[in-house]
Amino acid sequence: MMVTTSQEELIRDNMALVGHMVRETLFKVPPHVHRDDLASAGYAALVTAAQAFDPGRGIPFGRFAAVRVRGALLDELRGMDWASRSVRARARRADVAREELTRRLGRTPTAEELAELLGVAVGELATIDDDVQRAAVLSLQGFTVGSAEDMVTETALNPEEMLLHRERLGYLHDAVTVLPERLRFVVEASFLRERPLSEVAEQLGVTESRVSQLRTEALALLRDGLNTHMEQRLSPVAKDGCVARRRAAYAAQIAESSTMASRLAATDAQGQLLAA
């Protein structure tokens, strides 16, 4: 089906909408999800939306197209199967085992200790950790693993919703900033710069399994710290444990360094992250 001149104008004028939705999605999905794959699906949906658009219905094209693009991005994520049920089950089992050992030992368990509790070889544990990390998504709604539907947000936010969205992003920005240096490096390199674990491990002079362990530790700190401030929810770890004290100290650092002004300064009025 050919594109008319008016449809071509609609497509050209709304290409930024696709870019915005793709960027929002990329912020919430694992590093192996590529921008080009999502953008291709989004732009294809924009074209079909322009071809199907009927101005006589009284619906603005931007809103009409956003629904189509969102559906296309969801379909693309589902097709990638990046967070299958088996991966989620392994993630839950690994998390439970890690939490149990952390409470028992009062520290982060070693790969050998975790592998023994799970009944797997250390080499297999590294594979499990890698799969888990691919599915470990920092959902801005709760900073937990989410479904594909959770990853693609609605674009028509009212002012109050946009303010809350920007504050969440700001909290995340501030929380990453005050992570211990080694953990911050791992998070920024693997999630923000999308560098392979092998490169991160080489620069730190450790194994990929250790980098995966550090990343898991960083995500746990981020979740606890953000939940403490965003949801006023305490960590489930006993208050007198050294791990609990470390998490409490980290939450206090977030409180000291994060203000409403700093949180909103991390994004523009449309909720887009600003360059550091």
Side-chain angles (χ1 to χ4, degrees), residues 24 35 141 196 217 248:
E24 283 287 305
R35 176 188 297 271
Q141 298 302 318
E217 184 178 347

Side-chain angles (χ1 to χ4, degrees), residues 115-190:
E116 181 179 358
L117 182 60
L118 289 171
V120 300
V122 175
E124 184 179 348
L125 177 62
T127 301
I128 293 175
D129 282 343
D130 185 59
D131 288 341
V132 168
Q133 292 297 340
R134 287 178 179 272
V137 180
L138 290 173
S139 167
L140 294 179
Q141 298 302 318
F143 304 100
T144 56
V145 174
S147 64
E149 285 76 5
D150 296 325
M151 299 302 101
V152 186
T153 57
E154 297 286 355
T155 59
L157 299 180
N158 62 41
E160 182 179 356
E161 291 170 336
M162 176 57 73
L163 185 64
L164 180 59
H165 171 66
R166 291 182 63 194
E167 187 176 14
R168 282 170 172 156
L169 286 174
Y171 261 124
L172 179 59
H173 178 272
D174 291 345
V176 170
T177 299
V178 299
L179 278 171
E181 182 178 359
R182 197 174 180 86
L183 299 184
R184 183 176 70 249
F185 176 81
V186 170
V187 168
E188 292 178 344
S190 61

Side-chain angles (χ1 to χ4, degrees), residues 198-209:
S198 58
E199 289 185 10
V200 180
E202 182 178 357
Q203 186 162 350
L204 290 177
V206 298
T207 64
E208 289 187 42
S209 176

Side-chain angles (χ1 to χ4, degrees), residues 90-109:
R90 295 165 78 186
R92 286 193 295 271
R93 183 165 177 250
D95 285 343
V96 169
R98 190 173 286 108
E99 286 291 335
E100 179 181 335
L101 279 176
T102 298
R103 288 194 297 269
R104 184 189 306 170
L105 302 173
R107 58 171 171 80
T108 301

